[in-house]
Amino acid sequence: MGSASPRDHLMKLLEPVVSAEGLDLEDVTVTQAGRRRLLRVVVDRDGGVSLDDVADVSQAVSTVLDEHDVMGPSAYTLEVSSPGVDRPLTEPRHWRRAARRLVKAELADGGVVEGRVRAADDTGVELDVDGVSRRLDYQDLTRGRVQVEFRRIDDDADGADVDGDEG
């Protein structure tokens, strides 16, 4: 039968390494960049990814790649990062991590809905659409995207300023 693609092989090799660091492996890509190849490893977790997390994962991934020689003898550059705002929301964890963000969701029936993520669980997401709560099951969604906002709702819903004083 068919063999696994190089991407699938890398995902399988790196997933336990990234998990051991407490992160989720979101994607792996290899692209040609002149004479070198660029290996991009995208990681994420609830609460976000710090620069220390990226450094730790980068070191662990580099060690495993060297041990298994999966990139071959030619030079490559390893880039570890978190997903950008344009990453499609396709998994329950993506929707959960988008809590309080404005999203545009593409529906399986061809429609589109835009709203703020109120909550997400293993079966669906609850959006605030123009002040009305709307529950969507993942089976009714094809994907979603976080919308760029120049002014977001602050994490403090009780009206406190960023410094903790009452506003």
Side-chain angles (χ1 to χ4, degrees):
M1 314 308 179
S3 63
S5 71
R7 179 190 177 276
D8 292 340
H9 182 69
L10 284 167
M11 290 285 289
K12 191 174 189 176
L13 177 67
L14 298 180
E15 196 282 326
V17 175
V18 172
S19 287
E21 297 293 329
L23 300 165
D24 295 317
L25 179 61
E26 295 292 343
D27 197 16
V28 174
T29 59
V30 179
T31 55
Q32 197 67 37
R35 292 184 177 171
R36 291 179 175 252
R37 291 169 296 158
L38 174 62
L39 170 59
R40 283 194 178 103
V41 178
V42 180
V43 298
D44 201 6
R45 77 162 154 215
D46 291 356
V49 178
S50 72
L51 290 176
D52 288 338
D53 296 330
V54 169
D56 293 344
V57 169
S58 182
Q59 182 62 45
V61 164
S62 180
T63 299
V64 168
L65 291 172
D66 290 346
E67 287 172 357
H68 290 84
D69 197 32
V70 294
M71 294 300 291
S74 58
Y76 70 93
T77 300
L78 172 62
E79 178 183 290
V80 177
S81 65
S82 60
V85 70
D86 61 342
R87 180 242 342 245
L89 306 175
T90 57
E91 301 287 332
R93 69 178 180 264
H94 300 161
W95 289 95
R96 186 178 64 247
R97 291 173 183 157
R100 305 190 75 207
R101 302 293 303 267
L102 184 64
V103 299
K104 185 178 284 188
E106 297 175 14
L107 305 176
D109 67 7
V112 175
V113 64
E114 188 171 313
R116 194 164 301 279
V117 177
R118 295 175 54 105
D121 57 31
D122 290 339
T123 61
V125 62
E126 183 181 337
L127 298 179
D128 181 337
V129 181
D130 297 325
V132 176
S133 182
R134 180 170 178 192
R135 171 82 181 177
L136 297 167
D137 290 335
Y138 295 127
Q139 66 188 10
D140 299 327
L141 298 169
T142 58
R143 69 177 180 175
R145 288 212 185 263
V146 171
Q147 300 301 290
V148 175
E149 295 181 272
F150 292 106
R151 183 172 177 207
R152 276 189 45 206
I153 293 178
D154 293 329
D155 288 341
D156 54 4
D158 62 358
D161 290 338
V162 173
D163 61 6
D165 296 339
E166 290 298 320

